[in-house]
Amino acid sequence: SSGINAEWPLRPGDPALLARANFDSNSYDAERERERAEERERIFERYTQGRSRTDDIEPWEEPNFSHYMKKDRYGFIHEKPIPMEPLDKKSLEKKQIKEKKWLRMVKHWQETNRVPEDLKSRIWKGCPDSLRGQVWPLMLRIREIKQSNEKTHGPNMYERMKEKARRKSPDIRQIDLDVHRTYRNHEMFQLKYGVMQQKLFYVLAGYSMFNKEVGYCQGMANVVALMLMYLHEEEDAFWALTSLLRGERYKMNDFFTPRLPKLFRCLDHHMVLRKKFIPSVHKHLKKLQYEPTLYATKWFLQCYLDKLPFSLALRVWDIFLLEGEEIETAMAIAILRTFKKTLIKQNDEQLNDFLCRLCESQLDEEKIIDNLSEVLLDLRRQRMSHLPKEKIIEELKPSESLSTLPSNKKVKKEKSTDCDSALIPLL
């Protein structure tokens, strides 16, 4: 009986009770980790196997000939056939001459590794779509970033990060969910577990271990998908993402870290610029209590992807890759300035419908790009093109409701690894 009395009843604070509680907690944690590891392996295996006839495939996910009649020149599939607009002989010759000039410039750039003097003027006029796959890697300096990392941390960094993600990444479930809802209306990403979905999944998974400060955050999938549309090679898309997030020119990293600090800095700076450069619009929006979080959040997070017609978004990205982060805030003012007369006549519902559905509108692209150039020049003259120095945000302002912002997970801080130190800033 003395043995029974020693174990029962156990009182609070009793060492035996604490030991049992710790054992139960450790067992639960171990079980949860085992379940997560099994789920992670199942997801990776599905992408490794690729598309299978046994997959649960929706009818719209199956390609058929009619899709080619509904596809625009960028690969997006629409509900109705797209009318073909044949170029007249003069326009076709002009296009061919432009592409030949670009080809000569790109070839010289690749051979000398020197930025062409006329690159800036040509980018602002518009990069030929057929050459973005050659021009974007040069502006992003993909080759230099990859070589620098391999020189410091050894070869095959991307493959090592993919393998590490398969073993340890805590973000695989969310990445899997987001891959299956990224550009499903585009021919490259329509097939479930297709080649391009595989590449998108692997880039995001690998990067979640490469940059642990960010891990994975919603919004990154669309950016990587855009890179894959033009770069095609998944490793190039991986280093492009590295350049965009940690490069000195673009500094997108803090759009995706916990609490989205750069987003709030952009929104605050946008309010200042709006008041100074388009006071009539600012006054009207303030009167209606129509906050920038309602229309500009995704403008900044994804640099206008999905918020402008794709052809215009590509022009913005051409200029963004050339000029850097200044373009994000300048473009927001350019949009409001372009539609100033329309906006000051609208109520809050009309404003929301108009600004949040620009991607469905027929816009004068050249006029908007011209306005962007003028706004950028104005901001630089006033020394307001860059964000003010970062402030420590203790809490959100009452008007900045998180319900209007994209969700972001909390990231558990980990000790720095050689992967984190491999993030090389651009010169």
Side-chain angles (χ1 to χ4, degrees):
S1 66
S2 60
I4 295 175
N5 290 336
E7 294 188 9
W8 186 264
L10 298 176
R11 295 187 176 93
D14 191 298
L17 181 61
L18 293 174
R20 182 177 298 175
N22 288 334
F23 175 79
D24 292 341
S25 176
N26 292 338
S27 297
Y28 175 78
D29 290 343
E31 179 65 18
R32 288 288 297 150
E33 181 55 37
R34 184 186 65 80
E35 291 174 357
R36 284 194 291 266
E38 290 177 353
E39 178 186 50
R40 188 164 56 240
E41 182 60 29
R42 284 196 303 270
I43 293 173
F44 256 91
E45 189 59 30
R46 284 302 300 113
Y47 284 94
T48 301
Q49 292 176 0
R51 185 174 171 84
S52 169
R53 292 186 178 275
T54 61
D55 289 331
D56 183 18
I57 304 297
E58 296 290 338
W60 63 269
E61 294 178 306
E62 285 289 355
N64 57 63
F65 181 74
S66 65
H67 284 174
Y68 291 96
M69 303 295 293
K70 303 174 184 178
K71 184 178 69 174
D72 65 24
R73 64 191 180 110
Y74 298 107
F76 287 93
I77 299 168
H78 302 266
E79 293 182 359
K80 297 180 180 179
I82 306 298
M84 300 294 291
E85 297 181 4
L87 291 174
D88 58 72
K89 185 177 180 180
K90 186 176 180 179
S91 298
L92 185 59
E93 289 177 352
K94 186 176 180 181
K95 179 183 177 183
Q96 291 173 343
I97 291 172
K98 180 180 180 180
E99 288 184 348
K100 287 180 180 178
K101 290 181 179 179
W102 270 87
L103 280 169
R104 288 196 296 270
M105 183 188 73
V106 170
K107 182 180 179 181
H108 184 262
W109 191 356
Q110 291 171 333
E111 290 174 349
T112 63
N113 201 30
R114 295 177 60 184
V115 179
E117 293 180 359
D118 55 348
L119 175 66
K120 185 170 184 175
S121 61
R122 289 189 177 182
I123 284 289
W124 277 91
K125 291 177 182 177
C127 177
D129 193 61
S130 60
L131 292 176
R132 284 192 170 99
Q134 298 180 54
V135 175
W136 283 11
L138 292 169
M139 290 197 290
L140 287 161
R141 300 180 69 243
I142 289 175
R143 183 175 64 181
E144 291 90 335
I145 293 174
K146 178 182 176 182
Q147 290 176 347
S148 179
N149 274 271
E150 291 191 342
K151 182 178 180 180
T152 306
H153 302 285
N156 304 318
M157 172 66 79
Y158 174 57
E159 294 299 326
R160 283 158 38 205
M161 291 302 100
K162 280 170 43 177
E163 184 57 37
K164 191 171 183 179
R166 187 164 192 157
R167 298 193 312 269
K168 296 183 178 181
S169 177
D171 301 306
I172 295 304
R173 175 191 286 182
Q174 188 61 53
I175 291 172
D176 179 46
L177 290 172
D178 288 350
V179 164
H180 291 303
R181 53 194 179 203
T182 299
Y183 289 133
R184 297 308 300 276
N185 61 333
H186 193 280
E187 61 176 348
M188 289 186 178
F189 299 97
Q190 187 182 23
L191 295 185
K192 192 173 184 179
Y193 299 117
V195 172
M196 295 305 288
Q197 279 203 358
Q198 289 175 308
K199 291 182 178 182
L200 178 58
F201 172 80
Y202 288 137
V203 171
L204 294 170
Y207 198 78
S208 71
M209 299 306 296
F210 184 75
N211 183 353
K212 291 184 180 179
E213 183 183 19
V214 168
Y216 172 74
C217 179
Q218 290 178 329
M220 293 168 62
N222 287 50
V223 173
V224 173
L226 176 68
M227 294 297 108
L228 286 170
M229 287 181 196
Y230 288 95
L231 309 186
H232 302 303
E233 295 297 328
E234 61 182 83
E235 184 170 0
D236 285 347
F238 174 85
W239 294 117
L241 184 62
T242 303
S243 177
L244 289 168
L245 266 64
R246 299 304 292 263
E248 286 298 319
R249 186 179 299 163
Y250 313 111
K251 301 179 182 178
M252 295 184 76
N253 198 72
D254 283 348
F255 278 131
F256 304 111
T257 51
R259 301 186 70 181
L260 317 174
K262 187 169 182 178
L263 172 61
F264 287 108
R265 291 173 62 208
C266 282
L267 292 171
D268 288 343
H269 193 48
H270 174 68
M271 287 282 279
V272 174
L273 299 181
R274 197 180 73 180
K275 182 178 181 180
K276 182 175 180 63
F277 292 98
I278 36 177
S280 59
V281 174
H282 176 76
K283 184 178 179 180
H284 182 63
L285 298 188
K286 286 291 286 184
K287 180 180 178 181
L288 296 175
Q289 296 184 325
Y290 192 72
E291 299 291 337
T293 52
L294 298 173
Y295 64 88
T297 294
K298 286 194 174 180
W299 288 3
F300 296 137
L301 276 177
Q302 298 178 168
C303 195
Y304 302 90
L305 279 180
D306 303 332
K307 293 302 170 183
L308 294 174
F310 193 69
S311 57
L312 178 55
L314 288 175
R315 294 284 301 276
V316 173
W317 268 82
D318 290 338
I319 299 168
F320 172 64
L321 296 182
L322 173 74
E323 303 282 3
E325 64 171 344
E326 297 170 287
I327 295 303
E328 295 224 53
T329 48
M331 184 62 185
I333 299 301
I335 291 172
L336 299 185
R337 179 182 282 185
T338 302
F339 300 108
K340 177 174 67 174
K341 293 181 180 180
T342 300
L343 296 175
I344 60 177
K345 297 176 183 178
Q346 294 179 327
N347 60 33
D348 54 351
E349 291 184 4
Q350 292 169 330
L351 280 167
N352 196 61
D353 187 60
F354 182 78
L355 290 176
C356 294
R357 300 181 68 177
L358 286 172
C359 59
E360 303 172 17
S361 306
Q362 294 290 329
L363 305 179
D364 185 341
E365 295 185 8
E366 293 304 326
K367 181 179 180 180
I368 294 174
I369 294 298
D370 287 345
N371 277 338
L372 173 60
S373 178
E374 292 175 6
V375 169
L376 185 61
L377 188 59
D378 288 343
L379 295 183
R380 285 175 173 171
R381 284 172 179 162
Q382 299 288 330
R383 297 185 179 181
M384 299 179 74
S385 61
H386 288 282
L387 295 177
K389 290 185 178 180
E390 186 173 3
K391 298 177 182 178
I392 299 175
I393 302 174
E394 296 296 338
E395 59 184 359
L396 301 181
K397 298 176 183 178
S399 62
E400 295 171 331
S401 169
L402 282 176
S403 64
T404 64
L405 299 175
S407 60
N408 190 34
K409 60 181 179 52
K410 293 181 179 179
V411 178
K412 183 179 180 181
K413 290 291 184 181
E414 299 186 40
K415 291 183 178 179
S416 177
T417 66
D418 62 338
C419 309
D420 298 313
S421 61
L423 301 169
I424 307 298
L426 294 181
L427 298 175

